[in-house]
Short mmCIF file of all heavy atoms in Angstrom, two decimals:
data_model
loop_
_atom_site.label_atom_id
_atom_site.label_comp_id
_atom_site.label_asym_id
_atom_site.label_seq_id
_atom_site.Cartn_x
_atom_site.Cartn_y
_atom_site.Cartn_z
N TYR A 275 -24.93 -145.01 4.98
CA TYR A 275 -25.17 -144.05 3.87
C TYR A 275 -26.46 -143.29 4.10
O TYR A 275 -26.52 -142.10 3.96
CB TYR A 275 -25.21 -144.80 2.54
CG TYR A 275 -25.45 -143.83 1.39
CD1 TYR A 275 -24.45 -143.05 0.91
CD2 TYR A 275 -26.73 -143.70 0.84
CE1 TYR A 275 -24.63 -142.12 -0.12
CE2 TYR A 275 -26.94 -142.81 -0.18
CZ TYR A 275 -25.92 -142.03 -0.67
OH TYR A 275 -26.12 -141.15 -1.64
N VAL A 276 -27.52 -143.98 4.46
CA VAL A 276 -28.83 -143.35 4.67
C VAL A 276 -28.81 -142.44 5.86
O VAL A 276 -29.43 -141.34 5.82
CB VAL A 276 -29.93 -144.41 4.77
CG1 VAL A 276 -31.26 -143.82 5.16
CG2 VAL A 276 -30.07 -145.21 3.48
N GLU A 277 -28.11 -142.83 6.93
CA GLU A 277 -28.05 -142.00 8.14
C GLU A 277 -27.31 -140.69 7.91
O GLU A 277 -27.62 -139.67 8.53
CB GLU A 277 -27.33 -142.73 9.25
CG GLU A 277 -28.15 -143.75 9.98
CD GLU A 277 -27.34 -144.49 11.07
OE1 GLU A 277 -26.10 -144.53 10.94
OE2 GLU A 277 -28.00 -145.02 11.96
N ALA A 278 -26.34 -140.68 7.02
CA ALA A 278 -25.50 -139.52 6.82
C ALA A 278 -26.31 -138.35 6.22
O ALA A 278 -26.98 -138.52 5.20
CB ALA A 278 -24.35 -139.84 5.88
N GLU A 279 -26.26 -137.22 6.88
CA GLU A 279 -26.99 -136.04 6.34
C GLU A 279 -26.15 -135.29 5.35
O GLU A 279 -26.63 -134.64 4.45
CB GLU A 279 -27.42 -135.12 7.49
CG GLU A 279 -28.44 -135.80 8.37
CD GLU A 279 -29.06 -134.82 9.36
OE1 GLU A 279 -28.97 -133.61 9.14
OE2 GLU A 279 -29.63 -135.30 10.32
N LEU A 280 -24.81 -135.40 5.50
CA LEU A 280 -23.88 -134.81 4.58
C LEU A 280 -23.02 -135.92 3.99
O LEU A 280 -22.37 -136.65 4.71
CB LEU A 280 -23.02 -133.77 5.31
CG LEU A 280 -22.10 -132.95 4.45
CD1 LEU A 280 -22.90 -132.12 3.39
CD2 LEU A 280 -21.26 -132.00 5.28
N ARG A 281 -23.02 -136.03 2.70
CA ARG A 281 -22.31 -137.14 2.05
C ARG A 281 -21.02 -136.66 1.38
O ARG A 281 -20.90 -135.50 1.09
CB ARG A 281 -23.26 -137.79 1.04
CG ARG A 281 -24.47 -138.32 1.82
CD ARG A 281 -25.39 -139.18 1.02
NE ARG A 281 -26.44 -139.70 1.89
CZ ARG A 281 -27.70 -139.57 1.62
NH1 ARG A 281 -28.11 -139.05 0.51
NH2 ARG A 281 -28.60 -140.08 2.46
N GLY A 282 -20.09 -137.57 1.17
CA GLY A 282 -18.76 -137.30 0.69
C GLY A 282 -18.66 -136.49 -0.59
O GLY A 282 -19.57 -136.55 -1.41
N PRO A 283 -17.51 -135.83 -0.82
CA PRO A 283 -17.33 -135.00 -1.99
C PRO A 283 -16.74 -135.73 -3.23
O PRO A 283 -16.43 -135.12 -4.24
CB PRO A 283 -16.27 -134.00 -1.51
CG PRO A 283 -15.44 -134.75 -0.57
CD PRO A 283 -16.39 -135.70 0.12
N SER A 284 -16.61 -137.07 -3.18
CA SER A 284 -16.07 -137.79 -4.33
C SER A 284 -16.96 -137.66 -5.53
O SER A 284 -18.15 -137.40 -5.40
CB SER A 284 -15.86 -139.26 -3.96
OG SER A 284 -17.12 -139.83 -3.67
N PRO A 285 -16.42 -137.83 -6.75
CA PRO A 285 -17.26 -137.73 -7.94
C PRO A 285 -18.42 -138.68 -7.88
O PRO A 285 -18.24 -139.90 -7.78
CB PRO A 285 -16.32 -138.10 -9.06
CG PRO A 285 -14.94 -137.93 -8.54
CD PRO A 285 -15.04 -138.14 -7.06
N TYR A 286 -19.63 -138.12 -7.81
CA TYR A 286 -20.82 -138.92 -7.52
C TYR A 286 -21.06 -140.03 -8.54
O TYR A 286 -21.39 -141.15 -8.20
CB TYR A 286 -22.05 -137.97 -7.44
CG TYR A 286 -23.29 -138.72 -7.10
CD1 TYR A 286 -23.50 -139.19 -5.80
CD2 TYR A 286 -24.29 -138.97 -8.06
CE1 TYR A 286 -24.62 -139.91 -5.46
CE2 TYR A 286 -25.41 -139.63 -7.69
CZ TYR A 286 -25.59 -140.11 -6.42
OH TYR A 286 -26.70 -140.80 -6.05
N TYR A 287 -20.88 -139.74 -9.83
CA TYR A 287 -21.18 -140.68 -10.86
C TYR A 287 -20.23 -141.92 -10.83
O TYR A 287 -20.51 -142.94 -11.42
CB TYR A 287 -21.13 -140.04 -12.27
CG TYR A 287 -19.76 -139.53 -12.64
CD1 TYR A 287 -18.89 -140.29 -13.35
CD2 TYR A 287 -19.39 -138.24 -12.27
CE1 TYR A 287 -17.61 -139.87 -13.69
CE2 TYR A 287 -18.13 -137.77 -12.59
CZ TYR A 287 -17.27 -138.56 -13.33
OH TYR A 287 -16.01 -138.10 -13.64
N LEU A 288 -19.13 -141.83 -10.10
CA LEU A 288 -18.19 -142.93 -9.97
C LEU A 288 -18.46 -143.76 -8.71
O LEU A 288 -17.81 -144.79 -8.49
CB LEU A 288 -16.74 -142.43 -9.93
CG LEU A 288 -16.27 -141.74 -11.19
CD1 LEU A 288 -14.85 -141.20 -10.95
CD2 LEU A 288 -16.25 -142.70 -12.36
N SER A 289 -19.37 -143.38 -7.89
CA SER A 289 -19.61 -144.01 -6.61
C SER A 289 -20.61 -145.14 -6.69
O SER A 289 -21.48 -145.19 -7.60
CB SER A 289 -20.06 -142.99 -5.54
OG SER A 289 -21.33 -142.55 -5.88
N VAL A 290 -20.53 -146.02 -5.74
CA VAL A 290 -21.50 -147.12 -5.63
C VAL A 290 -22.86 -146.52 -5.31
O VAL A 290 -23.87 -147.01 -5.81
CB VAL A 290 -21.07 -148.10 -4.51
CG1 VAL A 290 -22.11 -149.14 -4.28
CG2 VAL A 290 -19.74 -148.75 -4.86
N GLU A 291 -22.88 -145.49 -4.52
CA GLU A 291 -24.14 -144.85 -4.12
C GLU A 291 -24.95 -144.31 -5.27
O GLU A 291 -26.14 -144.16 -5.19
CB GLU A 291 -23.88 -143.73 -3.07
CG GLU A 291 -23.29 -144.21 -1.77
CD GLU A 291 -21.79 -144.33 -1.83
OE1 GLU A 291 -21.14 -143.91 -2.81
OE2 GLU A 291 -21.20 -144.83 -0.84
N SER A 292 -24.28 -143.98 -6.35
CA SER A 292 -25.00 -143.43 -7.53
C SER A 292 -25.93 -144.51 -8.11
O SER A 292 -26.86 -144.15 -8.84
CB SER A 292 -24.02 -142.96 -8.59
OG SER A 292 -23.33 -144.04 -9.16
N ARG A 293 -25.71 -145.77 -7.79
CA ARG A 293 -26.56 -146.85 -8.30
C ARG A 293 -27.74 -147.17 -7.37
O ARG A 293 -28.58 -147.99 -7.72
CB ARG A 293 -25.73 -148.12 -8.52
CG ARG A 293 -24.55 -147.93 -9.44
CD ARG A 293 -25.04 -147.60 -10.84
NE ARG A 293 -23.91 -147.46 -11.76
CZ ARG A 293 -23.94 -146.73 -12.81
NH1 ARG A 293 -25.04 -146.10 -13.14
NH2 ARG A 293 -22.90 -146.62 -13.57
N LEU A 294 -27.75 -146.57 -6.18
CA LEU A 294 -28.89 -146.84 -5.28
C LEU A 294 -30.15 -146.16 -5.85
O LEU A 294 -30.08 -145.13 -6.49
CB LEU A 294 -28.59 -146.25 -3.88
CG LEU A 294 -27.50 -146.93 -3.11
CD1 LEU A 294 -27.27 -146.15 -1.80
CD2 LEU A 294 -27.89 -148.35 -2.81
N PRO A 295 -31.31 -146.75 -5.56
CA PRO A 295 -32.56 -146.17 -6.08
C PRO A 295 -32.84 -144.81 -5.43
O PRO A 295 -32.47 -144.57 -4.29
CB PRO A 295 -33.64 -147.19 -5.71
CG PRO A 295 -33.02 -148.11 -4.75
CD PRO A 295 -31.51 -148.02 -4.87
N ILE A 296 -33.51 -143.93 -6.18
CA ILE A 296 -33.79 -142.59 -5.72
C ILE A 296 -34.59 -142.60 -4.40
O ILE A 296 -34.34 -141.83 -3.49
CB ILE A 296 -34.60 -141.82 -6.81
CG1 ILE A 296 -33.76 -141.73 -8.08
CG2 ILE A 296 -34.99 -140.44 -6.31
CD1 ILE A 296 -32.57 -140.81 -8.03
N TRP A 297 -35.61 -143.51 -4.33
CA TRP A 297 -36.47 -143.53 -3.15
C TRP A 297 -35.65 -143.80 -1.88
O TRP A 297 -36.03 -143.34 -0.79
CB TRP A 297 -37.57 -144.54 -3.31
CG TRP A 297 -37.16 -145.97 -3.41
CD1 TRP A 297 -36.91 -146.67 -4.57
CD2 TRP A 297 -36.90 -146.89 -2.34
NE1 TRP A 297 -36.52 -147.96 -4.27
CE2 TRP A 297 -36.52 -148.11 -2.91
CE3 TRP A 297 -36.97 -146.77 -0.96
CZ2 TRP A 297 -36.18 -149.26 -2.16
CZ3 TRP A 297 -36.62 -147.89 -0.21
CH2 TRP A 297 -36.28 -149.10 -0.80
N MET A 298 -34.56 -144.52 -1.99
CA MET A 298 -33.74 -144.81 -0.82
C MET A 298 -32.87 -143.64 -0.42
O MET A 298 -32.56 -143.47 0.78
CB MET A 298 -32.84 -146.03 -1.11
CG MET A 298 -32.13 -146.59 0.08
SD MET A 298 -30.99 -147.93 -0.32
CE MET A 298 -32.11 -149.14 -0.95
N LYS A 299 -32.52 -142.78 -1.35
CA LYS A 299 -31.66 -141.63 -1.06
C LYS A 299 -32.37 -140.37 -0.69
O LYS A 299 -31.75 -139.43 -0.23
CB LYS A 299 -30.76 -141.37 -2.30
CG LYS A 299 -29.86 -142.55 -2.64
CD LYS A 299 -28.91 -142.20 -3.76
CE LYS A 299 -29.59 -142.30 -5.10
NZ LYS A 299 -28.67 -142.18 -6.23
#
């Protein structure tokens, strides 16, 4: 996830990634 420069188009608020801390993203 961190390596990816372009992330998927799925609804962001429904993804697991939406729960990651801001500093990590």
